[in-house]
Amino acid sequence: MKISKSLYSYYLIWPALLIYSVFFVLPAIIGLFYSFTDWRLDREVVKFIGFDNFERIFTDKTLQLAIKNTFIFAIVTVIGKNVLGIALAVGLNMRLKTRNFLRAIFYSPSILSVLVISIVFTPMLRSEGTINRFFETIGLGSLSQAWLTDPSIVIWTVAAVSIWQHTGFQMAIYLAGLQSISREYYEAATIDGAGAWKSFQKITLPLLLPAININLMLTLIGGLKVFSEVFVLTGGGPGNASQVVGTIILRAFGEGSWGLGTAVNTMLFLGVTLISIPLLIFMRRKEVTE
């Protein structure tokens, strides 16, 4: 009887665990197997080819460019979304009369569909679009760029659009963290002669670490798994200049190279896991020490 009681909590999670295993774990294991094969649409017999698909990932120039673009996108968006998110949260945590209205304005882009975002930004980012016309109007025509057709800046443009769309979501999480910090800490710091920056550095940031941890994980994993923004804004173009790992997976499956597609997907999974878990452990330790 004691054994059954001790296992009672596990009985409750078995149904969910079974569903998760059937629909997520099992397909992942099958996909791992097929990533070591020459599985293609035009072949009836699947052959084991070892690490050939993975060797191709690190020797094919297009795949290398996709990996590079994925890391650029992830790094830029992690920094942009979190820095701007904290700045907006701190600003809108002040006693402004319009703070609720401004919170809604800054948060609203995060609830929009990526398709809607592309419809709005694509004409704005053209060479003759609104952004370049604005620069010309204020006498800064030298800043005009071919935002979506210049291979050297296109991935940065997509990252900027993603930052614009999702920063409000990060802001909301930081706002929740800020509102849980007692005002007494700041009053005591003011009495001790601490300025605004010192209070932010010594009080706000340490107590905001749980929210920072959450946002870092969300933005990092989202950045490494980027697909929608690139797909709707550029389709991986011009040429292959804005290809990312997600679009390469789609293209591989679309071309019938299913073995290669599963290999790239497996690499993405391993990359996200190997980067996010150590960072999560590090941030959790920081929370404890602070």
Side-chain angles (χ1 to χ4, degrees):
M1 191 65 179
K2 291 182 179 179
I3 296 177
S4 62
K5 284 184 177 180
S6 65
L7 294 176
Y8 181 75
S9 59
Y10 293 98
Y11 294 153
L12 298 177
I13 67 172
W14 281 353
L17 186 61
L18 179 62
I19 294 173
Y20 181 79
S21 298
V22 171
F23 291 99
F24 293 95
V25 177
L26 185 60
I29 295 173
I30 295 173
L32 178 62
F33 167 75
Y34 278 112
S35 65
F36 293 98
T37 68
D38 63 350
W39 188 29
R40 286 186 56 87
L41 178 64
D42 56 356
R43 292 179 183 172
E44 295 182 1
V45 179
V46 177
K47 295 181 180 180
F48 183 82
I49 58 173
F51 288 93
D52 288 1
N53 287 326
F54 294 95
E55 289 179 5
R56 181 178 172 184
I57 292 173
F58 294 102
T59 55
D60 186 281
K61 291 184 178 180
T62 301
L63 293 173
Q64 290 177 345
L65 178 60
I67 295 172
K68 175 185 174 182
N69 285 339
T70 301
F71 277 105
I72 290 175
F73 182 92
I75 293 170
V76 171
T77 54
V78 166
I79 295 173
K81 291 175 184 178
N82 285 283
V83 171
L84 291 177
I86 291 178
L88 288 174
V90 170
L92 297 180
N93 195 44
M94 298 178 180
R95 296 179 180 178
L96 302 174
K97 291 183 178 180
T98 58
R99 62 180 179 177
N100 290 331
F101 173 73
L102 292 174
R103 289 173 185 176
I105 291 296
F106 285 115
Y107 181 78
S108 57
S110 65
I111 66 176
L112 297 177
S113 166
V114 178
L115 182 60
V116 173
I117 299 298
S118 71
I119 293 173
V120 172
F121 273 94
T122 300
M124 292 176 61
L125 292 168
R126 290 174 181 166
S127 298
E128 69 283 0
T130 308
I131 294 177
N132 284 344
R133 287 183 180 180
F134 171 75
F135 284 140
E136 292 171 1
T137 300
I138 63 175
L140 296 174
S142 59
L143 296 178
S144 298
Q145 301 288 335
W147 302 103
L148 294 178
T149 55
D150 185 343
S152 63
I153 65 171
V154 62
I155 193 64
W156 298 84
T157 302
V158 177
V161 173
S162 180
I163 291 171
W164 176 87
Q165 181 183 7
H166 296 290
T167 295
F169 182 80
Q170 269 64 57
M171 175 202 71
I173 296 176
Y174 285 128
L175 265 174
L178 287 172
Q179 291 173 357
S180 68
I181 301 175
S182 174
R183 301 299 304 176
E184 295 177 356
Y185 294 118
Y186 297 103
E187 293 170 1
T190 302
I191 293 172
D192 291 339
W197 171 248
K198 201 70 174 180
S199 296
F200 176 79
Q201 187 180 14
K202 297 297 183 180
I203 298 174
T204 304
L205 279 182
L207 296 179
L208 204 58
L209 275 177
I212 293 174
N213 190 8
I214 293 171
N215 274 330
L216 278 179
M217 287 296 101
L218 290 176
T219 52
L220 176 62
I221 294 173
L224 292 174
K225 293 172 61 179
V226 58
F227 169 76
S228 301
E229 293 91 336
V230 174
F231 183 74
V232 300
L233 284 171
T234 66
N240 291 313
S242 62
Q243 292 283 1
V244 291
V245 173
T247 56
I248 287 293
I249 293 171
L250 176 68
R251 190 173 76 172
F253 277 97
E255 294 174 350
S257 300
W258 298 339
L260 177 62
T262 53
V264 177
N265 196 40
T266 299
M267 184 204 69
L268 177 61
F269 168 75
L270 292 175
V272 171
T273 302
L274 293 175
I275 293 173
S276 60
I277 289 181
L279 179 60
L280 178 62
I281 294 172
F282 172 76
M283 291 301 296
R284 289 295 187 189
R285 288 177 178 173
K286 290 288 289 183
E287 286 182 34
V288 175
T289 56
E290 295 288 349

